[in-house]
Amino acid sequence: RQLAAVRMLHRFMVEEGVRADDPSADVEGVRVPAGIPHPLTEAEVDRLLAAVVATDPASLRDRALLELLYATGARIGEVCGLSLADFDRENRLVRVFGKGAKERVVPFGRAAEAAMEGWLKSGRPHMIPTRWSRRGDEEAVFLNTRGARLSRQSAWAVVKKYGDQVGLGSKLSPHVLRHSCATHLLEAGVNIRIVQG
């Protein structure tokens, strides 16, 4: 915005005759990305999810994180903020708290269920520290290697890591996964009001 303002000021000054030249004429403008992200194809999502093949605790967490982001269309901050009590594993439902503390209950499918079961039974117990560093971390669904709640930035890094591995690079972000979930649901015939909920 600052660069655009400087360029517009100099252009205006030339047009008004205040200056004879425009010193910003050779400065390239900043490209603003399009507002709506392009969703991934289902094949690209499959490639991304298939990229996590190891069975160590961190990989089990990464797989569960990616599966849940795609299956629920939740924002990355919502997923990082999940606590164990937010899951109804029997009915495959998760309660997420969105912007403005809005609460919604979202279903998730069998693939996400299997990934979450693997993480909660075989991965998460190995990341539990001998002593919790912060209150509330003991209830966190996703933990980092030190046993603290996984941060938004660390979760973003997980998405980027596997996206880079399968050649999605700058095309992938957590928001693109959210948008892909909504797009694929609509393409499958789900009512738009349910997707918006």
Side-chain angles (χ1 to χ4, degrees):
R1 280 188 290 204
Q2 290 171 339
L3 181 60
V6 167
R7 293 177 74 214
M8 287 172 58
L9 172 67
H10 285 289
R11 198 173 306 139
F12 172 77
M13 290 170 75
V14 170
E15 288 172 5
E16 292 295 312
V18 177
R19 285 194 65 121
D21 67 328
D22 179 356
S24 69
D26 294 332
V27 177
E28 271 190 53
V30 177
R31 291 178 187 255
V32 179
I36 298 174
H38 293 287
L40 301 176
T41 64
E42 288 186 40
E44 287 172 328
V45 172
D46 289 343
R47 265 187 13 237
L48 174 68
L49 298 175
V52 192
V53 292
T55 56
D56 60 283
S59 297
L60 291 172
R61 179 205 59 205
D62 295 351
R63 177 64 185 251
L65 177 72
L66 292 172
E67 288 278 6
L68 200 64
L69 281 168
Y70 174 65
T72 62
R75 294 174 182 90
I76 198 151
E78 294 170 342
V79 170
C80 290
L82 288 174
S83 294
L84 296 171
D86 295 325
F87 273 90
D88 175 353
R89 286 152 71 180
E90 187 178 324
N91 295 305
R92 292 201 316 258
L93 298 170
V94 63
R95 180 180 55 181
V96 295
F97 295 91
K99 291 180 178 177
K102 286 185 183 171
E103 177 184 328
R104 65 188 194 283
V105 176
V106 185
F108 55 91
R110 287 188 180 89
E113 176 189 29
M116 287 301 300
E117 285 296 313
W119 159 241
L120 293 173
K121 286 183 178 174
S122 304
R124 188 178 183 279
H126 295 285
M127 287 192 177
I128 294 174
T130 52
R131 194 168 68 87
W132 296 101
S133 56
R134 287 183 303 215
R135 247 179 96 206
D137 284 354
E138 66 273 10
E139 288 300 312
V141 170
F142 293 105
L143 302 173
N144 64 24
T145 53
R146 294 178 311 282
R149 183 179 291 273
L150 190 70
S151 71
R152 190 178 174 279
Q153 292 80 7
S154 296
W156 222 110
V158 168
V159 174
K160 180 170 175 24
K161 171 185 170 182
Y162 293 102
D164 288 346
Q165 277 185 24
V166 297
L168 293 173
S170 61
K171 186 176 181 178
L172 179 66
S173 71
H175 190 66
V176 167
L177 276 179
R178 176 175 163 78
H179 189 61
S180 300
C181 168
T183 301
H184 298 162
L185 286 172
L186 290 171
E187 287 172 353
V190 176
N191 186 300
I192 191 165
R193 294 288 174 225
I194 293 170
V195 175
Q196 288 172 335

